[in-house]
Amino acid sequence: MKLFAVVCLLLLLPFVYCKKDTGESNLPTSYLSISDIWPVRDTVNTTIKLIVTVAPVSNKTITVNYTTEEGTAKANIDFVPVAGTLTINPGSVTGEVAVQLIGRKLMSSTQNFSLKLSNAVNATLKVEKATVFIENPGFDYRLVWSDEFTGTTLNTTNWNYETGGGGWGNNELQNYTSGTNNAYIENGNLIIEAKKERIGSNAYSSARLTTKGKRKFTYGKFEIRAKVPATTGLWPAIWMLGENIDQVGWPACGEIDIMEAINKETPSKTYGTAHWGVNPASHLSKGGYYVLPSGHYSDDYHVFTVEWDANSIQWFFDGNKFYTVNKGEITGGNNPFNGDFFLILNVAVGGNWPGSPDANSIFPQKMVVDYVRIYQK
């Protein structure tokens, strides 16, 4: 019997030894992250490197697939597209993916493309996409701030929730909420969702986000790529107010509407407007509108832009200028357009301008914001 036990033990020893020698440990799961970069393009081809970070370090070989995705920068025109598998050896804290920028000098704004990670082995993806912002020498503007909405939650170092009902001065019907009921991040986009649901005494809910007290700007190029919702009674808007509104009130603080869509008129029409005046009784405004040649704004993403300096405010739709207010046209006692302004993104329901939803209105409705980018000279 003793001899049998000894033989069994001897037979098991190789398996015990192999198990011990595999190098397995109780290290926690490793996470992969990739960061945005801002390279400057020259007239010659330049190779850039995007860094993939491992934390905590792993004792296993990690692999992850990668591929480039076009943005305003185009494959084989602005950069050489790449796709493949990155291998990160045990104990390494980073890996690199090289991409070549195609050399040329452009009189154009900052361009962008992305590198996306997928199918990680022996690690979990934490930040799966990085944006490459190509700075083009010779262009008047430089990117000074952006929110690409690449995380999993709204970045509250940039944005505030403004909450409540009460009509918001326009007899609106929604109650603005905080949290993820009406504003959330999904697939690299900010979603502001208007719902038909009772919140307090209001029959609808939505969200209104501002950068007040956190991000403010005097002059610049304000560029927002978004898909605008469309249904009767909806009032989506991308706009700005003077940072001093609490001291001087509206409209003395000034207002710049980058985009307003009033769906009772047509879902293919958006407005750009400047508002000012010493007090509400002396309110003045100038603005214009853009109408799509075909289709609706809700069909696809579009880029809404304002270029604002000491001499004028100009509105653009997908790069096409459609209205200008010059400094000499801002008369009537005050000119608030020489100070700091903050951004607002919201979807209102009802109100004096769009009117109320009707039996044909469809809810919920979403405004999908791909990015907000601010450039200055």
Side-chain angles (χ1 to χ4, degrees), residues 110 152 164 187 219 294:
T110 301
T152 56
N187 298 323
Y219 308 142
S294 63

Side-chain angles (χ1 to χ4, degrees), residues 22-28 30 56-62 89-92:
T22 58
E24 292 184 1
S25 69
N26 293 320
L27 285 175
S30 294
V57 172
S58 176
N59 63 346
K60 299 178 182 179
T61 298
I62 295 172
N89 294 323
S92 297

Side-chain angles (χ1 to χ4, degrees), residues 12-35:
L12 287 170
L13 277 175
F15 295 97
V16 174
Y17 179 79
C18 290
K19 177 71 172 177
K20 182 178 180 181
D21 198 45
T22 58
E24 292 184 1
S25 69
N26 293 320
L27 285 175
T29 300
S30 294
Y31 292 91
L32 300 183
S33 299
I34 187 168
S35 300

